[in-house]
mmCIF file of all heavy atoms in Angstrom:
data_model
loop_
_atom_site.group_PDB
_atom_site.id
_atom_site.type_symbol
_atom_site.label_atom_id
_atom_site.label_comp_id
_atom_site.label_asym_id
_atom_site.label_seq_id
_atom_site.Cartn_x
_atom_site.Cartn_y
_atom_site.Cartn_z
ATOM 1 N N THR B 472 -13.593 -21.642 -20.961
ATOM 2 C CA THR B 472 -13.828 -22.999 -21.430
ATOM 3 C C THR B 472 -13.350 -24.039 -20.437
ATOM 4 O O THR B 472 -12.262 -23.944 -19.907
ATOM 5 C CB THR B 472 -13.097 -23.229 -22.757
ATOM 6 O OG1 THR B 472 -11.743 -22.819 -22.589
ATOM 7 C CG2 THR B 472 -13.731 -22.460 -23.887
ATOM 8 N N ASP B 473 -14.202 -24.991 -20.191
ATOM 9 C CA ASP B 473 -13.804 -26.116 -19.367
ATOM 10 C C ASP B 473 -13.064 -27.118 -20.234
ATOM 11 O O ASP B 473 -13.552 -27.539 -21.267
ATOM 12 C CB ASP B 473 -15.037 -26.795 -18.754
ATOM 13 C CG ASP B 473 -15.536 -26.014 -17.574
ATOM 14 O OD1 ASP B 473 -14.773 -25.218 -17.003
ATOM 15 O OD2 ASP B 473 -16.701 -26.176 -17.228
ATOM 16 N N GLY B 474 -11.944 -27.477 -19.827
ATOM 17 C CA GLY B 474 -11.162 -28.416 -20.612
ATOM 18 C C GLY B 474 -11.413 -29.838 -20.194
ATOM 19 O O GLY B 474 -12.285 -30.134 -19.375
ATOM 20 N N PRO B 475 -10.686 -30.746 -20.767
ATOM 21 C CA PRO B 475 -10.801 -32.145 -20.401
ATOM 22 C C PRO B 475 -10.557 -32.322 -18.914
ATOM 23 O O PRO B 475 -9.683 -31.698 -18.352
ATOM 24 C CB PRO B 475 -9.682 -32.806 -21.232
ATOM 25 C CG PRO B 475 -9.390 -31.835 -22.320
ATOM 26 C CD PRO B 475 -9.676 -30.497 -21.776
ATOM 27 N N GLY B 476 -11.348 -33.160 -18.335
ATOM 28 C CA GLY B 476 -11.151 -33.428 -16.907
ATOM 29 C C GLY B 476 -12.060 -32.606 -16.027
ATOM 30 O O GLY B 476 -12.146 -32.823 -14.835
ATOM 31 N N THR B 477 -12.785 -31.651 -16.634
ATOM 32 C CA THR B 477 -13.721 -30.867 -15.847
ATOM 33 C C THR B 477 -14.868 -31.752 -15.382
ATOM 34 O O THR B 477 -15.428 -32.509 -16.159
ATOM 35 C CB THR B 477 -14.293 -29.718 -16.681
ATOM 36 O OG1 THR B 477 -13.210 -28.915 -17.098
ATOM 37 C CG2 THR B 477 -15.280 -28.893 -15.882
ATOM 38 N N ALA B 478 -15.226 -31.647 -14.154
ATOM 39 C CA ALA B 478 -16.298 -32.478 -13.629
ATOM 40 C C ALA B 478 -17.481 -31.616 -13.254
ATOM 41 O O ALA B 478 -17.329 -30.588 -12.619
ATOM 42 C CB ALA B 478 -15.813 -33.217 -12.403
ATOM 43 N N THR B 479 -18.645 -31.977 -13.709
ATOM 44 C CA THR B 479 -19.843 -31.217 -13.400
ATOM 45 C C THR B 479 -20.960 -32.176 -13.030
ATOM 46 O O THR B 479 -20.791 -33.392 -13.081
ATOM 47 C CB THR B 479 -20.281 -30.376 -14.609
ATOM 48 O OG1 THR B 479 -20.558 -31.264 -15.660
ATOM 49 C CG2 THR B 479 -19.194 -29.408 -15.032
ATOM 50 N N ASP B 480 -22.104 -31.592 -12.648
ATOM 51 C CA ASP B 480 -23.198 -32.455 -12.219
ATOM 52 C C ASP B 480 -24.328 -32.527 -13.235
ATOM 53 O O ASP B 480 -25.387 -33.016 -12.959
ATOM 54 C CB ASP B 480 -23.740 -31.993 -10.864
ATOM 55 C CG ASP B 480 -24.309 -30.599 -10.931
ATOM 56 O OD1 ASP B 480 -24.136 -29.924 -11.960
ATOM 57 O OD2 ASP B 480 -24.919 -30.176 -9.954
ATOM 58 N N GLY B 481 -24.114 -32.019 -14.395
ATOM 59 C CA GLY B 481 -25.173 -32.011 -15.392
ATOM 60 C C GLY B 481 -25.284 -33.326 -16.133
ATOM 61 O O GLY B 481 -24.396 -34.168 -16.069
ATOM 62 N N PRO B 482 -26.400 -33.512 -16.838
ATOM 63 C CA PRO B 482 -26.573 -34.723 -17.618
ATOM 64 C C PRO B 482 -25.455 -34.849 -18.651
ATOM 65 O O PRO B 482 -25.153 -33.913 -19.374
ATOM 66 C CB PRO B 482 -27.923 -34.511 -18.313
ATOM 67 C CG PRO B 482 -28.590 -33.429 -17.546
ATOM 68 C CD PRO B 482 -27.518 -32.592 -16.961
ATOM 69 N N GLY B 483 -24.889 -35.980 -18.692
ATOM 70 C CA GLY B 483 -23.842 -36.207 -19.674
ATOM 71 C C GLY B 483 -22.500 -35.639 -19.283
ATOM 72 O O GLY B 483 -21.526 -35.772 -19.994
ATOM 73 N N ASN B 484 -22.467 -34.953 -18.150
ATOM 74 C CA ASN B 484 -21.203 -34.392 -17.707
ATOM 75 C C ASN B 484 -20.633 -35.256 -16.584
ATOM 76 O O ASN B 484 -21.318 -35.532 -15.608
ATOM 77 C CB ASN B 484 -21.400 -32.963 -17.184
ATOM 78 C CG ASN B 484 -21.863 -32.052 -18.286
ATOM 79 O OD1 ASN B 484 -21.291 -32.039 -19.353
ATOM 80 N ND2 ASN B 484 -22.948 -31.345 -18.043
ATOM 81 N N PRO B 485 -19.432 -35.673 -16.723
ATOM 82 C CA PRO B 485 -18.882 -36.627 -15.773
ATOM 83 C C PRO B 485 -18.645 -36.035 -14.392
ATOM 84 O O PRO B 485 -18.336 -34.867 -14.250
ATOM 85 C CB PRO B 485 -17.556 -37.017 -16.415
ATOM 86 C CG PRO B 485 -17.180 -35.844 -17.266
ATOM 87 C CD PRO B 485 -18.459 -35.280 -17.740
ATOM 88 N N ILE B 486 -18.812 -36.870 -13.418
ATOM 89 C CA ILE B 486 -18.459 -36.537 -12.049
ATOM 90 C C ILE B 486 -17.409 -37.555 -11.627
ATOM 91 O O ILE B 486 -17.489 -38.730 -11.965
ATOM 92 C CB ILE B 486 -19.684 -36.597 -11.132
ATOM 93 C CG1 ILE B 486 -20.663 -35.477 -11.515
ATOM 94 C CG2 ILE B 486 -19.312 -36.465 -9.678
ATOM 95 C CD1 ILE B 486 -21.938 -35.465 -10.721
ATOM 96 N N THR B 487 -16.425 -37.104 -10.907
ATOM 97 C CA THR B 487 -15.291 -37.981 -10.651
ATOM 98 C C THR B 487 -15.627 -39.144 -9.735
ATOM 99 O O THR B 487 -14.968 -40.152 -9.737
ATOM 100 C CB THR B 487 -14.151 -37.189 -10.013
ATOM 101 O OG1 THR B 487 -14.663 -36.526 -8.859
ATOM 102 C CG2 THR B 487 -13.580 -36.192 -10.978
ATOM 103 N N GLY B 488 -16.661 -39.014 -8.956
ATOM 104 C CA GLY B 488 -17.043 -40.125 -8.095
ATOM 105 C C GLY B 488 -18.068 -39.689 -7.093
ATOM 106 O O GLY B 488 -18.262 -38.499 -6.869
ATOM 107 N N PRO B 489 -18.798 -40.624 -6.498
ATOM 108 C CA PRO B 489 -19.835 -40.269 -5.543
ATOM 109 C C PRO B 489 -19.259 -39.481 -4.368
ATOM 110 O O PRO B 489 -18.275 -39.890 -3.761
ATOM 111 C CB PRO B 489 -20.368 -41.632 -5.084
ATOM 112 C CG PRO B 489 -19.915 -42.609 -6.117
ATOM 113 C CD PRO B 489 -18.675 -42.056 -6.682
ATOM 114 N N GLY B 490 -19.902 -38.389 -4.083
ATOM 115 C CA GLY B 490 -19.494 -37.607 -2.922
ATOM 116 C C GLY B 490 -18.184 -36.868 -3.097
ATOM 117 O O GLY B 490 -17.696 -36.235 -2.187
ATOM 118 N N THR B 491 -17.635 -36.930 -4.275
ATOM 119 C CA THR B 491 -16.349 -36.265 -4.482
ATOM 120 C C THR B 491 -16.559 -34.790 -4.743
ATOM 121 O O THR B 491 -17.465 -34.402 -5.457
ATOM 122 C CB THR B 491 -15.631 -36.881 -5.701
ATOM 123 O OG1 THR B 491 -15.614 -38.284 -5.526
ATOM 124 C CG2 THR B 491 -14.227 -36.352 -5.842
ATOM 125 N N GLU B 492 -15.726 -33.939 -4.155
ATOM 126 C CA GLU B 492 -15.728 -32.540 -4.542
ATOM 127 C C GLU B 492 -14.936 -32.444 -5.819
ATOM 128 O O GLU B 492 -13.730 -32.631 -5.833
ATOM 129 C CB GLU B 492 -15.066 -31.696 -3.465
ATOM 130 C CG GLU B 492 -15.947 -31.491 -2.277
ATOM 131 C CD GLU B 492 -15.324 -30.532 -1.324
ATOM 132 O OE1 GLU B 492 -14.615 -29.636 -1.776
ATOM 133 O OE2 GLU B 492 -15.552 -30.705 -0.132
ATOM 134 N N THR B 493 -15.659 -32.216 -6.876
ATOM 135 C CA THR B 493 -15.022 -32.306 -8.183
ATOM 136 C C THR B 493 -14.287 -31.038 -8.550
ATOM 137 O O THR B 493 -14.471 -29.991 -7.948
ATOM 138 C CB THR B 493 -16.077 -32.620 -9.242
ATOM 139 O OG1 THR B 493 -17.109 -31.660 -9.103
ATOM 140 C CG2 THR B 493 -16.625 -33.998 -9.051
ATOM 141 N N VAL B 494 -13.465 -31.146 -9.538
ATOM 142 C CA VAL B 494 -12.569 -30.059 -9.887
ATOM 143 C C VAL B 494 -12.894 -29.516 -11.260
ATOM 144 O O VAL B 494 -13.058 -30.268 -12.202
ATOM 145 C CB VAL B 494 -11.106 -30.564 -9.879
ATOM 146 C CG1 VAL B 494 -10.163 -29.432 -10.214
ATOM 147 C CG2 VAL B 494 -10.784 -31.176 -8.529
ATOM 148 N N ALA B 495 -13.038 -28.218 -11.347
ATOM 149 C CA ALA B 495 -13.214 -27.570 -12.644
ATOM 150 C C ALA B 495 -11.942 -26.815 -12.962
ATOM 151 O O ALA B 495 -11.549 -25.917 -12.237
ATOM 152 C CB ALA B 495 -14.389 -26.613 -12.604
ATOM 153 N N VAL B 496 -11.284 -27.212 -13.997
ATOM 154 C CA VAL B 496 -10.040 -26.536 -14.365
ATOM 155 C C VAL B 496 -10.089 -26.119 -15.819
ATOM 156 O O VAL B 496 -10.763 -26.728 -16.639
ATOM 157 C CB VAL B 496 -8.810 -27.452 -14.153
ATOM 158 C CG1 VAL B 496 -8.578 -27.692 -12.687
ATOM 159 C CG2 VAL B 496 -8.995 -28.777 -14.887
ATOM 160 N N THR B 497 -9.394 -25.084 -16.134
ATOM 161 C CA THR B 497 -9.348 -24.650 -17.531
ATOM 162 C C THR B 497 -8.352 -25.506 -18.290
ATOM 163 O O THR B 497 -7.467 -26.116 -17.718
ATOM 164 C CB THR B 497 -8.894 -23.193 -17.631
ATOM 165 O OG1 THR B 497 -7.637 -23.086 -16.975
ATOM 166 C CG2 THR B 497 -9.890 -22.276 -16.993
ATOM 167 N N SER B 498 -8.540 -25.500 -19.558
ATOM 168 C CA SER B 498 -7.564 -26.184 -20.383
ATOM 169 C C SER B 498 -6.267 -25.399 -20.343
ATOM 170 O O SER B 498 -6.226 -24.224 -19.996
ATOM 171 C CB SER B 498 -8.069 -26.263 -21.816
ATOM 172 O OG SER B 498 -8.111 -24.956 -22.348
#
Side-chain angles (χ1 to χ4, degrees):
Chain B
T472 51
D473 281 340
T477 300
T479 61
D480 62 351
N484 296 311
I486 293 178
T487 54
T491 309
E492 284 187 32
T493 53
V494 181
V496 291
T497 56
S498 67

